[in-house]
Amino acid sequence: MTQSRLFDPDPVLKTLPTGPGVYRMFDETGTVIYVGKARNLKRRVSSYFRKGAHNAKTQALVGQVADLQVTVTHTEAEALILENNLIKEHRPRYNVLLRDDKSYPYIHLSTQQDFPRLSFHRGQRRGEGRYFGPFPSSGAVRETLNHLQKVFPVRQCRDSFYRHRSRPCLQYQIGRCTAPCVGYISEADYARDVRHVEMFLSGQSNEVVDELVGRMEAAAEALDFEQAARLRDRITSLRRIQERQYVSGARGDVDVIACRLRENLACVQAFVIRDGQNLGNQTYFPRTPPDTTPEEILYAFIARHYLGETTPGELLVSHELTDGEVLEEALGHDAGHRVRIASRLRGDRRRWMDMAERNAEHALSARMDSEAIMERRFEDLQQALSLDEIPERIECFDISHTRGEATVASCVVFGREGAIKDDYRRFNIEGITGGDDYAAMHQALERRFRRLREGEGTIPDLLLIDGGEGQLRQAEGVLEDLQIEGVTPVGIAKGPRRRPGEEVLLVAGRPDSIRLAPESPALHLLQQVRDEAHRFAITGHRSRRGKSRNQSSLEEIAGLGPKRRQALMKQFGGLKGIKRAGVEDLSRVPGISTALAERIHGHLNG
């Protein structure tokens, strides 16, 4: 490990106390390059300058240190708060950093007026009325306001605009306001819409639906079918924006935070749950030095994100945090109430975390489609496969079926800029023995490359086949039969334990297989392309399978008789609404037990 020639650590280390505090490391220009906190300053700081194994981040950091300063605190929690403030102030390049965050946004309902207004609010909550949130982003607030306006036409115009109206505005013309400004609605009817808004934002959307269903049935019995139709449409719209599949049953305020890390690119996904209502999520890509672990990223993210801001009573995290008790103490002291951090999750909380992890994985994959990362991966792929040139276009084929039924082949295309979705294709496979993947692959490849041979489309440089030697031979046979040259067929087969990172690559014309290191950018590229082909094939197969079955989906579910089917259709407005509903929402319908709700959800979404 190379140390800066300008800094001799021994005199400083001798004077360090053994209590808690914060240390700051400076480079030769006087810039703060790292801020850290410690329970024992002497032990922690000394560890940087001991001889022994250090990761790349620590070696690079210590090699630039030209000065060191410490601040002693009473407790480690105080040290954490001070560390957070110093990191936000100096933004050292060896710390995990977030973008500058503004305060959380809220929805404000100005209840002191005869005709209250819904509005976006950020900053201190000084005005009269109710505040709903906080929301994870301004986009989440605006989307919620837009949806609410379609269902509950409560005004969102500024008071100055509202007070000077002599005729209704455009919002009334398009059905998003009831024109209280010119007296088109009574205070009582407007108050009912306001009450429904408050109930919805407080997590009582199911009660709102029940009330609307009752009003719809009463209107139908009174032969007021126009009003019944309007209420039906309102119920349908409300169901679409509930987003309660994964958060029903929540108590209090909870944030769900998941971290995913690949190739030194980190993604943190934070879902905000208030009063049992999912208020949306926000994606963060913190700047992380090399060799930073997900646990370190989460710890730093929580400190940067919550200290000095609104903090819920419970944080659910994807990784167990070292010194999590210190973080809980600091957050609780800052928020004025107890804050619990939990990572060992079961039941609903495990489901919420699964949702956050899937979103983090998706966001990370999308981020990794950026041109710079893709360029590096393509260059590494050329070296790994000993190709003459960097491939410009990769096509990958996969097969999906259920016991031979409704077989579909997929073809996805990637270029150096990422996925080229306009060139994706699916092939409905016909005339083969059910379950014969080799024949299905041969048919799909032949149909694809026959079109290319006839001048339709662009011929790929690399043909990736999801499978082993048998599937690869089908590709070689098709290319030979159609006399297509310049295409390199590669099979990607799962390893003996079928774990990611253990894939075996089979290159046409080479006797030996290739195994790339799990951290290889080339392997990550091939995995990404293969997984996208798999996803595209499965969705096509499920769609084709569903169309081929004429029997009603609900009629196939054991224990779901005509009365229960009718109750479901009435509550959710149709099969699409039932399919979008979560298990908890389904189980609230009279006659639908939790077990039956799980069967319904699994059958419609399996």
Side-chain angles (χ1 to χ4, degrees), residues 395-596:
E395 292 192 5
C396 181
F397 284 74
D398 191 21
I399 305 295
S400 180
H401 59 80
T402 300
R403 298 187 182 89
E405 177 190 2
T407 302
V408 171
S410 70
C411 170
V412 302
V413 184
F414 274 64
R416 289 163 72 170
E417 70 279 14
I420 308 175
K421 295 195 174 182
D422 288 344
D423 290 353
Y424 283 17
R425 294 291 183 271
R426 289 194 184 103
F427 302 90
N428 291 334
I429 304 301
E430 304 286 358
I432 66 168
T433 303
D436 188 345
D437 288 352
Y438 295 161
M441 181 66 72
H442 190 280
Q443 183 180 132
L445 290 168
E446 185 177 40
R447 288 165 61 183
R448 173 63 170 164
F449 282 94
R450 189 175 295 280
R451 294 175 186 172
L452 293 172
R453 186 65 174 171
E454 295 169 355
E456 180 183 334
T458 304
I459 294 179
D461 303 299
L462 192 70
L463 174 60
L464 187 63
I465 305 297
D466 185 10
E469 292 183 5
Q471 284 88 347
L472 184 61
R473 282 198 295 269
Q474 300 302 320
E476 291 179 287
V478 169
L479 295 177
E480 183 177 357
D481 291 343
L482 296 176
Q483 292 297 295
I484 293 177
E485 298 180 353
V487 178
T488 303
V490 177
I492 179 169
K494 294 182 174 63
R497 294 183 294 181
R498 305 181 69 80
R499 293 180 180 176
E502 298 180 354
E503 286 87 352
V504 177
L505 303 181
L506 308 168
V507 182
R510 300 187 191 178
D512 299 327
S513 60
I514 299 174
R515 287 181 181 270
L516 301 179
E519 65 275 11
S520 165
L523 179 59
H524 294 155
L525 172 61
L526 296 179
Q527 289 172 330
Q528 181 183 3
V529 178
R530 185 266 320 273
D531 293 345
E532 175 68 354
H534 186 61
R535 179 201 64 79
F536 196 55
I538 287 178
T539 55
H541 159 64
R542 287 176 175 169
S543 175
R544 186 185 183 196
R545 183 185 62 187
K547 292 178 181 178
S548 68
R549 296 178 177 178
N550 296 323
Q551 187 179 8
S552 169
S553 298
L554 294 180
E555 292 177 7
E556 297 175 359
I557 302 172
L560 190 62
K563 290 185 178 179
R564 289 174 177 172
R565 290 199 299 271
Q566 185 178 11
L568 284 170
M569 298 291 283
K570 182 184 295 184
Q571 183 74 5
F572 296 99
L575 189 60
K576 289 185 178 179
I578 299 172
K579 190 174 182 179
R580 281 194 295 264
V583 172
E584 292 81 1
D585 291 325
L586 293 170
S587 64
R588 289 193 179 93
V589 176
I592 306 297
S593 65
T594 300
L596 180 55

Side-chain angles (χ1 to χ4, degrees), residues 58-180:
T58 303
Q59 292 183 37
L61 168 64
V62 175
Q64 298 183 49
V65 174
D67 192 14
L68 178 67
Q69 296 179 10
V70 301
T71 301
V72 179
T73 60
H74 291 94
T75 66
E76 191 178 1
E78 286 184 13
L80 176 61
I81 295 173
L82 176 58
E83 176 200 39
N84 178 63
N85 292 334
L86 290 172
I87 290 173
K88 287 183 176 179
E89 177 184 354
H90 297 290
R91 301 188 65 79
R93 63 176 173 270
Y94 285 100
N95 285 98
V96 175
L97 299 178
L98 304 179
R99 293 180 180 177
D100 292 329
D101 291 324
K102 299 179 181 178
S103 59
Y104 280 116
Y106 288 78
I107 287 178
H108 178 226
L109 180 63
S110 57
T111 51
Q112 77 276 11
Q113 299 163 315
D114 292 336
F115 294 96
R117 174 198 177 211
L118 274 175
S119 63
F120 176 98
H121 177 83
R122 191 193 292 275
Q124 295 184 344
R125 290 169 282 168
R126 294 175 177 173
E128 296 183 33
R130 291 196 62 182
Y131 292 86
F132 299 93
F135 285 75
S137 66
S138 59
V141 174
R142 294 189 178 97
E143 182 180 6
T144 301
L145 286 172
N146 182 51
H147 287 318
L148 284 173
Q149 199 171 33
K150 295 177 182 178
V151 182
F152 308 111
V154 174
R155 73 178 184 94
Q156 297 185 18
C157 58
R158 295 183 180 274
D159 290 340
S160 58
F161 181 85
Y162 170 78
R163 285 193 295 265
H164 296 93
R165 297 299 302 176
S166 59
R167 57 178 180 171
C169 67
L170 178 63
Q171 295 300 317
Y172 172 78
Q173 303 295 334
I174 63 177
R176 295 193 175 190
C177 183
T178 47

Side-chain angles (χ1 to χ4, degrees), residues 30-57:
T31 302
V32 178
I33 58 175
Y34 187 75
V35 176
K37 61 93 181 166
R39 180 183 295 116
N40 184 317
L41 276 171
K42 189 177 189 69
R43 183 188 310 143
R44 178 69 180 125
V45 176
S46 298
S47 68
Y48 285 95
F49 302 97
R50 290 196 203 103
K51 294 181 179 179
H54 289 280
N55 60 30
K57 178 180 73 173

Side-chain angles (χ1 to χ4, degrees), residues 7-15:
F7 182 64
D8 179 9
D10 291 338
V12 179
L13 297 180
K14 290 178 181 178
T15 64

